[in-house]
Each structure stands twice: as C-alpha cells, then as structure tokens.
Amino acid sequence: MASIKLLGLRISVYTRIARLALEEKKIDYELEEVDVFADAGAPAAYLKRNPFGRIPCLLYGGFSLYETGAICRYLDEMFFGTELQPKEPAPRARMNQILSVLDNYAYRPMVWDVYVQRIVVPGSGGMADEALVAGALPLIETVLRELDRWREDNEFLVGGAISLADLYAYPMLRYFVETGEGAAMMQSFPRLGQWLAQMQARRSVRATSFHSGDASEDGF
Ligand SMILES: N[C@@H](CCC(=O)N[C@@H](CS)C(=O)NCC(=O)O)C(=O)O
C-alpha cells in the first residue's frame, strides 16, 4: 500500500501535473478521487483539508499539502530521482516564470474557455459560449508564442532536461489541442507541436492519461 496519497481527479489538469511529478520521480502513490465538481460542491471532509476546494492535495504521513506548485517542489526536494528543477538561477527563474504564466494566462483560457466550451458543454447537450472561446484565443496565442520562444530548439521548455515547466504545460496544452481551434493554432508553432509529441511518448505521460484506457492521446 502506497504511503503517499494524492486527493484529486484523473480528469483534472492540476491533479495530472502532480501525478506527472510523482511518476517522473518514480514515487509510489495512490490517487483517491475527490469530486470537487459535484453539484453539491466539494465534499465537506475535503474542505477541511483545503478550504479553497481546489484539487489536488497531497497526504504523506501526517503532512497534508495543497497548491500544486508547493506539492511538486516538495516532492522534488524530498525524494531522490530525476531532478525537476534546474539548479542554476537563470534557468530556474525561467521555469518559475513559465509556471506563473501557465497558472495566470493559460489554464483558464485553454481549459475552461476553449476545451470545456468546445468539448464538455456540447457533450452534455449545451451550446458553447462563442464569445468566451473567441475572447480566449489571443491570450492563448501569446502564451504559445512565449513558450515556443523560450524553448528555442531545446528538447524541453527549459533547456535539455525535463522540469516542472514541461509537467505544467503538457496537461493544459493537451486539452487545448483536442479542440479545433487548438489544433489549428498549434500549426503555427511547429517546434511546440514537436515538443508535445515528444512529451506524449514519455512513460509518465502515458501513465497519467486523463481518461482510463484512453487511446485518444496516442494520435497526436
Ligand atoms: N492554485 C491551485 C489550482 C488548482 C485548481 O484550480 N484545480 C482545479 C481542477 S484542475 C479545481 O480544483 N477546480 C475546482 C473548482 O474550480 O471549483 C493549485 O495550484 O493547485
């Protein structure tokens, strides 16, 4: 039985980021599903752990930790294995900059304004809010242009080694490219498309797909 538990949802972007860190570090863990999207809201027991009601939350021994950035840095600093943060100040700062850009300018536009409107809302019989989709695209394009510029021709977003920047970006971009707008926009950033395809092949990415037994990520 794993001594580390992650409370979250398989379909959640931030849960997947934490799972990617656990997988990259080869840490044994158990994912316990907590449905914060239920009509009744996040379960009361979960709100005692995280009063903001956001997932994921990490449990290790008596230690309980929420906020994905804190979780990922803790895992990286606490456990041996692949290091997920550059040691040198400049690349470390670039990685932190990318995390901040993704948190603030990518997650909501890519996931909620485009993916949810294009895939989830019509999937449950609703109509997409076209204004929301259209309004999100310019900001997303700026994010992709910056990621493409920072990556240059390196293998990963920050130089030649995987870092938290890649683990944050992948789940957000993954949802975005499932939409027509996302797939079309990625054509303008072929280097970033190549990065996404490389990430797709990683063991950690395959071990954490958004849906169980999902082959839809294989094709990209
Ligand atoms: N700042 C939080 C954000 C986490 C977050 O927004 N998670 C989403 C799922 S991907 C969530 O819990 N949403 C529930 C809600 O919005 O009520 C973190 O870094 O962990």
Side-chain angles (χ1 to χ4, degrees):
M1 173 118 177
S3 61
I4 289 197
K5 202 180 261 192
L6 191 70
L7 309 181
L9 279 177
R10 193 177 179 126
I11 57 163
S12 138
V13 162
Y14 282 97
T15 303
R16 190 170 190 184
I17 294 167
R19 294 181 71 205
L20 284 168
L22 286 157
E23 293 286 346
E24 287 290 338
K25 302 289 289 186
K26 298 199 167 62
I27 299 168
D28 192 26
Y29 73 100
E30 181 193 339
L31 175 66
E32 185 178 307
E33 298 249 320
V34 174
D35 190 2
V36 291
F37 297 115
D39 289 342
Y46 186 73
L47 289 172
K48 283 194 184 142
R49 293 205 176 276
N50 181 355
F52 301 103
R54 300 295 180 97
I55 47 175
C57 179
L58 183 89
L59 306 182
Y60 181 40
F63 189 47
S64 174
L65 185 68
Y66 63 82
E67 284 300 308
T68 308
I71 292 171
C72 290
R73 289 180 179 96
Y74 171 73
L75 292 171
D76 193 37
E77 285 153 21
M78 185 76 185
F79 294 91
F80 291 113
T82 306
E83 293 191 351
L84 300 174
Q85 302 173 92
K87 289 257 179 287
E88 292 299 312
R92 198 175 179 101
R94 177 73 73 215
M95 180 200 78
N96 284 322
Q97 180 186 29
I98 291 175
L99 266 48
S100 189
V101 163
L102 292 166
D103 276 337
N104 292 301
Y105 315 127
Y107 171 64
R108 184 146 287 276
M110 283 187 191
V111 179
W112 289 96
D113 297 351
V114 179
Y115 175 79
V116 169
Q117 289 302 318
R118 278 284 175 259
I119 310 283
V120 180
V121 170
S124 50
M127 294 243 304
D129 180 337
E130 294 298 335
L132 211 53
V133 175
L137 295 175
L139 187 56
I140 295 174
E141 191 163 2
T142 303
V143 171
L144 295 186
R145 186 171 300 110
E146 285 297 80
L147 292 179
D148 189 63
R149 182 169 74 86
W150 290 325
R151 185 198 165 209
E152 299 173 331
D153 288 316
N154 295 311
E155 190 176 349
F156 295 99
L157 293 180
V158 182
I162 189 130
S163 75
L164 296 181
D166 304 285
L167 308 190
Y168 259 68
Y170 179 81
M172 297 186 198
L173 267 69
R174 177 62 243 168
Y175 270 148
F176 181 58
V177 299
E178 281 183 35
T179 68
E181 284 86 352
M185 196 183 284
M186 280 303 284
Q187 300 294 322
S188 310
F189 301 101
R191 289 188 305 193
L192 215 49
Q194 191 189 32
W195 165 86
L196 200 61
Q198 275 168 217
M199 287 296 291
Q200 186 66 58
R202 288 184 82 80
R203 189 199 59 82
S204 63
V205 169
R206 293 186 168 271
T208 58
S209 62
F210 283 126
H211 306 286
S212 57
D214 185 4
S216 69
E217 290 193 23
D218 294 349
F220 188 84

